[in-house]
Amino acid sequence: MTSPPSDQTPCRPPGTGLRVDAERNRDRILAAARRLYATEGLGVSMASVAREAGVGKATLGRRFATREELVNAVFADRMDAYAAAAAEALADPDPWHGFTGYIHAVCAMQAADRGFADVLTMTFPAAKALEARRTEAYNEFQELITRAKTSGHLRDDFISQDLVILLMANAGVVAATGDDAPDTWRRLVGHMLRSYAAPGAPIPELPEAPRSTALYRATVRLARTGPDTTWVGGSGQ
């Protein structure tokens, strides 16, 4: 006769083990995608993510049917931080300081995570939550622009598209310099903030330029590897 289960061998409801395994696989996939996207950008293929996570492509497909679903899950918290940065800038009693602080904060997010640098310069229509947070941040940035212009410190000809241009340029600098000259983006942002300032506005201090030897190493590496062209309209599967 079978003995009743002891306290050391608890019974699990039917299907519980499968749910636990599924959740574990999802966590592994997300962790692997974060690592790869952060260091290599969004050009990483879904197959590479599956290999990094130690799961099959079929398992990956069950958890995330499309790349956009995976990107949405990986970067949800970062898009929250992106939107929060805009709200924090609006709360600054000094509109110009809030504006410059926001620009620097967003570019710092790009520099810290190459995948997020890509996310900020792309759109993902199927990733509803991610795009909703992007829209929220964009609307608040529009208000930030108006306040900074009213203060007399932001140039009248600055428009929201200029931020997109800056983010594209910064993403390129981050990808090109890599670990060879990781703070180069600060110099770019410093120059751009000066160009946005109206006459008489407080000018942010210009960060030091990277050493020529560091830039040389970056150019040599870039010449060997070539520009990242793996993500073009969703290619690189």
Side-chain angles (χ1 to χ4, degrees), residues 136-148:
E136 178 184 340
Y138 174 79
N139 291 336
E140 291 183 331
F141 182 62
Q142 290 279 44
E143 185 177 349
L144 191 60
I145 291 173
T146 300
R147 293 177 71 241

Side-chain angles (χ1 to χ4, degrees), residues 19-236:
R19 290 196 297 272
V20 170
D21 289 342
E23 189 63 26
R24 184 181 299 115
N25 284 336
R26 185 180 189 277
D27 291 343
R28 290 169 64 183
I29 290 167
L30 288 176
R34 287 191 183 101
R35 288 194 298 270
L36 292 176
Y37 289 159
T39 57
E40 301 180 31
L42 296 188
V44 173
S45 68
M46 295 288 274
S48 295
V49 173
R51 285 195 298 271
E52 178 75 10
V55 302
K57 288 193 288 185
T59 298
L60 174 59
R62 284 193 295 272
R63 304 279 77 77
F64 303 99
T66 66
R67 182 193 297 271
E68 288 189 329
E69 287 184 13
L70 180 58
V71 168
N72 186 70
V74 169
F75 293 104
D77 58 340
R78 288 163 178 78
M79 288 303 290
D80 286 345
Y82 177 55
E88 182 178 346
L90 279 177
D92 194 317
D94 181 342
W96 174 242
H97 183 266
F99 175 86
T100 59
Y102 175 74
I103 296 291
H104 192 276
V106 172
C107 289
M109 292 178 193
Q110 281 190 302
D113 188 325
R114 185 176 169 188
F116 192 58
D118 291 343
V119 166
L120 287 182
T121 58
M122 299 177 183
T123 58
F124 302 88
K128 302 299 184 182
L130 186 149
E131 290 303 315
R133 296 299 270 165
R134 187 200 303 277
T135 299
E136 178 184 340
Y138 174 79
N139 291 336
E140 291 183 331
F141 182 62
Q142 290 279 44
E143 185 177 349
L144 191 60
I145 291 173
T146 300
R147 293 177 71 241
K149 286 183 178 179
T150 301
S151 74
H153 290 156
L154 178 62
R155 291 172 54 126
D156 287 336
D157 56 359
F158 182 92
I159 57 178
S160 60
Q161 290 93 319
D162 291 322
L163 175 61
V164 178
I165 295 170
L166 172 58
L167 293 178
M168 288 178 173
N170 194 50
V173 168
V174 169
T177 54
D179 294 332
D180 298 305
D183 290 329
T184 303
W185 69 273
R186 298 180 185 275
R187 183 78 171 183
L188 169 68
V189 173
H191 276 302
M192 295 310 298
L193 287 176
R194 289 177 168 228
S195 74
Y196 301 153
I203 303 297
E205 183 177 350
L206 187 64
E208 291 186 5
R211 294 188 176 186
S212 57
T213 52
L215 280 181
Y216 176 75
R217 287 195 300 271
T219 57
V220 169
R221 178 180 53 79
L222 193 61
R224 290 173 178 170
T225 60
D228 183 2
T229 57
T230 54
W231 176 272
V232 180
S235 63

